[in-house]
């Protein structure tokens, strides 16, 4: 997956961001490639995001690592027993996940955080192949409507925080995305996110 170049627009953007950098990270070497999922290979719970953040996972090479969304998410994962520490700053910071695997529907940082439908479709088989490597996965927590639309059954039930559906062997659980737009406005609070993560564990049992 790290060598994928299927989407010219995404390849150009991820590499441009990695070359120009944000001033705060100018001394760092950006990952600038597609980002694979990571976590516990025996996980029963999978968290599915939208795509790497331009200066988050596109910089660090690990999903939800090095940005505000990740700060919010990993604190909740730690509080609910899925992560051994509440922070995630780089790939070598000692973070370990238990019973949890984190990935995204699109593996390259998209301009304006908005992948095109063709880019979403180009990435679909990476998720299928990752799921095939997670035989114990039983619950997919969709972080946002984009992820929900990827894995929810057809006809697609409405997305909402705490929404539940069933798609084959997977329970599908909706969760507002831990974006700054949602967390700063209070649309997603710490108790709301932790409640979804605890519900995922119940559904996986």
């Amino acid at each position: 997956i790290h060598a994928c170049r299927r989407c010219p627009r995404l390849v150009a953007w991820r590499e441009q961001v990695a070359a120009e950098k944000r001033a705060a990270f100018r001394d760092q070497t950006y990952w600038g490639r597609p980002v694979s999922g990571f976590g516990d290979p025996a996980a029963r719970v999978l968290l599915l995001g939208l795509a790497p953040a331009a200066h988050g996972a596109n910089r660090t090479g690990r999903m939800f690592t090095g940005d505000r969304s990740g700060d919010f998410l990993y604190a909740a994962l730690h509080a609910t027993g899925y992560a051994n520490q509440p922070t995630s700053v780089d790939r070598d910071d000692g973070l370990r996940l238990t019973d949890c695997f984190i990935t995204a529907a699109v593996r390259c940082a998209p301009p304006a955080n908005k992948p095109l439908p063709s880019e979403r479709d180009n990435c679909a088989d990476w998720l299928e192949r990752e799921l095939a490597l997670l035989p114990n996965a039983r619950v997919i927590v969709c972080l946002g409507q984009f992820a929900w639309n990827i894995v929810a059954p057809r006809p697609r039930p409405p997305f909402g925080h705490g929404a539940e559906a069933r798609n084959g062997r997977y329970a599908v659980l909706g969760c507002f995305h831990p974006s700054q737009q949602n967390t700063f406005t209070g649309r997603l609070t710490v108790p709301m996110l932790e409640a979804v993560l605890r519900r995922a564990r119940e559904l996986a049992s």
Side-chain angles (χ1 to χ4, degrees):
I1 190 169
H2 296 160
C4 182
R5 301 182 69 84
R6 293 176 185 173
C7 304
R9 188 183 79 114
L10 297 190
V11 170
W13 175 250
R14 80 192 189 206
E15 294 179 358
Q16 177 185 335
V17 169
E20 294 177 354
K21 306 182 182 182
R22 179 172 283 171
F25 308 126
R26 63 182 176 273
D27 296 329
Q28 298 185 20
T29 299
Y30 273 56
W31 175 255
R33 299 193 291 277
V35 182
S36 54
F38 88 104
D40 183 352
R44 296 176 301 163
V45 176
L46 179 135
L47 272 60
L48 181 64
L50 193 164
H55 300 281
N58 188 57
R59 172 173 59 89
T60 63
R62 191 169 71 189
M63 290 295 182
F64 285 103
T65 295
D67 60 37
R68 292 285 182 85
S69 295
D71 293 344
F72 197 89
L73 177 63
Y74 286 111
L77 287 169
H78 179 255
T80 51
Y82 290 101
N84 68 319
Q85 60 190 45
T87 57
S88 177
V89 295
D90 63 59
R91 293 193 307 280
D92 301 314
D93 62 8
L95 175 70
R96 293 189 308 279
L97 300 180
T98 300
D99 204 21
C100 179
F101 192 91
I102 300 178
T103 192
V106 174
R107 306 312 177 94
C108 295
N113 212 32
K114 293 182 179 179
L116 301 175
S118 60
E119 294 162 349
R120 173 202 63 204
D121 295 346
N122 280 346
C123 243
D125 70 311
W126 291 122
L127 178 60
E128 292 173 9
R129 291 159 72 175
E130 228 166 32
L131 286 170
L133 298 173
L134 300 168
N136 297 330
R138 293 293 179 269
V139 181
I140 300 177
V141 178
C142 299
L143 300 174
Q145 186 167 4
F146 190 95
W148 177 267
N149 291 345
I150 296 289
V151 297
R154 304 295 190 272
R156 188 181 299 127
F159 170 75
H161 188 81
E164 295 184 18
R166 169 69 58 176
N167 191 352
R169 80 183 224 208
Y170 301 109
V172 181
L173 185 56
C175 179
F176 291 150
H177 192 282
S179 64
Q180 290 187 65
Q181 181 180 356
N182 286 338
T183 59
F184 283 10
T185 61
R187 186 170 190 242
L188 178 65
T189 64
V190 170
M192 288 170 65
L193 178 54
E194 291 181 1
V196 164
L197 295 173
R198 285 192 292 269
R199 177 58 177 158
R201 182 175 282 118
E202 291 175 1
L203 291 170
S205 299

